[in-house]
Amino acid sequence: RVFLLGSFGLLFWCGIFAVSWRVLVYFKGIEDIGDILGFKLLSMILFVAFALLIFSSILTSLSKLYLSRDLQLVHAMPVSSYKIFISRWIDSTVESAWMVVIFTLPIFLAYGIVYQSGLFYYANAAAALAALVVNASAISTIMVMVAVIVIPANRLKSIFIFLGILFFVAVY
């Protein structure tokens, strides 16, 4: 089962790379505006990745910080509250961002190959992606903490899921 799902994931990853590479080669072939189109495509991809990270992190941080079943046990331990919060926040950040990060890597790889970038590009792309993940997680966690003051956490999760489905239908 793991092999089958891993194979599908790898096949999907290779498909993303192939499509990205093909589009970027085509864009680079256009003389006057090819690089501008590549730049606009990259900004669009980063915007969509940021939106996905925000939405995923909202649901994950709400679940980790307010709806987890082990909260009473964790808060009864002799550990300070901020350490519990930081560990939960890091856990929710990793949980909400791993898929977006893995499936944007082939796009950055295609950009590096098409535009013949050096190692500095890959290090810069990794740092930018990490900063994007941390910023999205921090923004969504702050939004959740403010929203929980007004609306109970159980209802808030239902509202965010409904808004996510509504947003998907509107985009579709």
Side-chain angles (χ1 to χ4, degrees):
R1 181 177 171 171
V2 172
F3 177 74
L4 183 66
L5 291 176
S7 298
F8 281 134
L10 184 64
L11 186 66
F12 189 70
W13 199 87
C14 291
I16 291 172
F17 174 77
V19 168
S20 301
W21 181 78
R22 178 108 167 106
V23 167
L24 290 173
V25 166
Y26 177 74
F27 282 171
K28 193 168 182 176
I30 301 172
E31 283 193 29
D32 292 334
I33 62 168
D35 291 334
I36 296 170
L37 288 173
F39 175 73
K40 291 296 181 184
L41 180 66
L42 181 62
S43 65
M44 227 171 42
I45 288 167
L46 287 174
F47 180 75
V48 169
F50 188 71
L52 286 172
L53 285 169
I54 289 279
F55 182 71
S56 175
S57 189
I58 284 173
L59 292 177
T60 307
S61 63
L62 181 65
S63 296
K64 289 285 181 187
L65 295 175
Y66 293 102
L67 299 176
S68 183
R69 291 180 192 219
D70 64 345
L71 282 177
Q72 289 181 349
L73 177 65
V74 170
H75 285 289
M77 294 174 21
V79 179
S80 60
S81 295
Y82 78 91
K83 287 184 180 179
I84 293 171
F85 173 77
I86 293 295
S87 69
R88 292 279 176 147
W89 178 73
I90 290 171
D91 189 32
S92 72
T93 301
V94 170
E95 234 178 81
S96 66
W98 69 270
M99 190 178 299
V100 176
V101 169
I102 285 177
F103 287 115
T104 54
L105 287 178
I107 297 168
F108 288 119
L109 183 64
Y111 268 94
I113 290 172
V114 169
Y115 288 101
Q116 300 170 348
S117 303
L119 289 177
F120 181 71
Y121 162 77
Y122 296 107
N124 196 17
L129 198 55
L132 189 75
V133 165
V134 169
N135 283 328
S137 179
I139 290 169
S140 61
T141 302
I142 291 170
M143 287 171 47
V144 164
M145 290 171 66
V146 169
V148 166
I149 293 171
V150 178
I151 302 170
N154 290 331
R155 287 192 184 169
L156 191 62
K157 186 173 184 177
S158 300
I159 289 170
F160 278 127
I161 290 173
F162 175 72
L163 288 176
I165 291 170
L166 194 66
F167 178 73
F168 175 76
V169 169
V171 168
Y172 182 74

